[in-house]
Amino acid sequence: MRIIQAEKITSLVAALCIEAAHNLPPNQIKLLKRVASSEKGLPANLLKLILKNAETARKDLYPLCQDTGTAVVFLEIGQNVFIDGDVNKAVDAGVRKGFKEGYLRKSIVSCPLFKRENTTDNTPAVLHISFVKGDKIKVKVLLKGGGAENTSRLKMFAPADGKKEISDFIVQTVKEAGAKACPPLTLGVGIGGDFEQCAFLAKKALTRKSKNRNKFYAAFEEELLSGVNALKIGPQGLGGKTTALAVYIETAPCHMASLPVAVNVCCHSHRFKEGEI
């Protein structure tokens, strides 16, 4: 049994919050550069500005966006690990530390309906915990902007519905989002589970870096990407071939009477970092 002090989680979460806010993942930069070379005119110039913004943020430690987002934290805890301390408090302490030391905007309000008072430290985080084999802890931090999150959708389909109905729903979600979600987008899609698990799967899909291992779903990801890009909303909603950079699908078994589908929309500033203890 390996003993890990909760303070180590705090330190890593803080570092990942700062890193995610200032430095786009390498695969995101690669995707942006690839589509920038395929566009012309205004769309190409907009993508170059997005890349310039990313480089300036990385070099000078400016936040990639003024909306530094909700901190969504995924912990994968090894079964041979004993954490000495309160995990939930450790994660929130890390978000608090990272947002303070990184001079990041605090966007979380304590009451969703009435007073809407700012918690002043961007906590609480949205925390997802899973247990895996081994004696390590993997920490993933996704900073999720409010504008893109507001355009996300979930629908309970009939079991008789198929790829076409699901595809139409996903493409329509992007069409309704338009420029509000700051394209080019990354889309996380959850299919299956129940109402709550489906939404989680869509969020988890945004932590992926590559195609689905299942050939059927990998092909569906490509079909959806083509369908979304056919909308020609383009970078920042001003037209072009690139409305989305990638589509990632996560699935789970579901009840025979259900077929839930969720779309979690992420803007061009897809801020995600991970580390390990």
Side-chain angles (χ1 to χ4, degrees):
M1 181 67 69
R2 180 186 176 201
I3 298 174
I4 296 177
Q5 301 297 320
E7 288 80 3
K8 288 191 175 182
I9 296 175
T10 296
S11 296
L12 183 53
V13 168
L16 292 175
C17 283
I18 295 171
E19 177 71 8
H22 299 96
N23 198 352
L24 283 181
N27 65 306
Q28 189 75 359
I29 295 291
K30 183 178 179 180
L31 288 170
L32 285 166
K33 286 182 176 178
R34 187 180 72 187
V35 297
S37 65
S38 69
E39 292 278 14
K40 295 180 180 180
L42 180 59
N45 290 334
L46 286 169
L47 287 165
K48 288 176 183 177
L49 285 173
I50 288 171
L51 285 164
K52 184 178 179 181
N53 178 73
E55 180 63 13
T56 301
R58 184 187 67 82
K59 280 186 175 180
D60 299 333
L61 286 182
Y62 293 125
L64 286 152
C65 177
Q66 75 274 12
D67 180 358
T68 50
T70 298
V72 184
V73 180
F74 299 83
L75 292 186
E76 295 179 7
I77 302 174
Q79 293 175 338
N80 295 326
V81 169
F82 174 79
I83 299 174
D84 187 4
D86 189 310
V87 175
N88 290 276
K89 289 182 179 179
V91 168
D92 279 347
V95 172
R96 188 177 299 114
K97 177 180 171 68
F99 272 70
K100 180 180 180 180
E101 294 182 357
Y103 301 99
L104 307 178
R105 193 184 84 181
K106 290 80 173 176
S107 303
I108 303 302
V109 295
S110 57
C111 177
L113 282 180
F114 303 108
K115 293 184 179 180
R116 293 186 68 84
E117 292 178 346
N118 198 297
T119 63
T120 73
D121 58 10
N122 221 63
T123 68
V126 177
L127 176 59
H128 302 287
I129 298 175
S130 59
F131 294 93
V132 297
K133 293 181 179 179
D135 62 354
K136 298 178 181 179
I137 300 175
K138 181 172 283 187
V139 182
K140 301 178 180 181
V141 172
L142 175 66
L143 299 183
K144 197 65 169 55
E149 187 78 354
N150 289 347
T151 64
S152 301
R153 297 290 182 266
L154 187 151
K155 182 175 180 179
M156 304 299 291
F157 284 87
D161 292 326
K163 282 177 62 180
K164 183 182 185 307
E165 289 81 4
I166 292 171
S167 180
D168 288 348
F169 164 65
I170 293 167
V171 172
Q172 183 63 27
T173 296
V174 176
K175 184 177 181 180
E176 291 175 2
K180 295 192 292 290
C182 291
L185 311 171
T186 300
L187 301 176
V189 177
I191 303 176
D194 63 357
F195 186 89
E196 64 171 331
Q197 188 182 16
C198 183
F200 165 73
L201 290 170
K203 185 64 62 72
K204 182 183 177 184
L206 291 175
T207 68
R208 286 246 313 277
K209 301 175 183 177
S210 57
K211 293 180 181 179
N212 200 296
R213 293 180 181 178
N214 181 293
K215 290 183 179 180
F216 173 85
Y217 287 109
F220 194 22
E221 288 173 345
E222 290 299 318
E223 288 178 34
L224 289 169
L225 183 60
S226 295
V228 166
N229 284 332
L231 293 170
K232 296 185 178 180
I233 294 170
Q236 297 300 299
L238 295 175
K241 296 183 290 184
T242 311
T243 300
L245 298 170
V247 178
Y248 301 116
I249 298 173
E250 289 289 320
T251 67
C254 64
H255 192 283
M256 64 181 182
S258 299
L259 179 51
V261 178
V263 185
N264 199 237
V265 181
C266 193
C267 65
H268 70 263
S269 187
H270 182 28
R271 293 158 292 177
F272 170 70
K273 293 292 176 179
E274 59 186 325
E276 191 173 78
I277 300 172

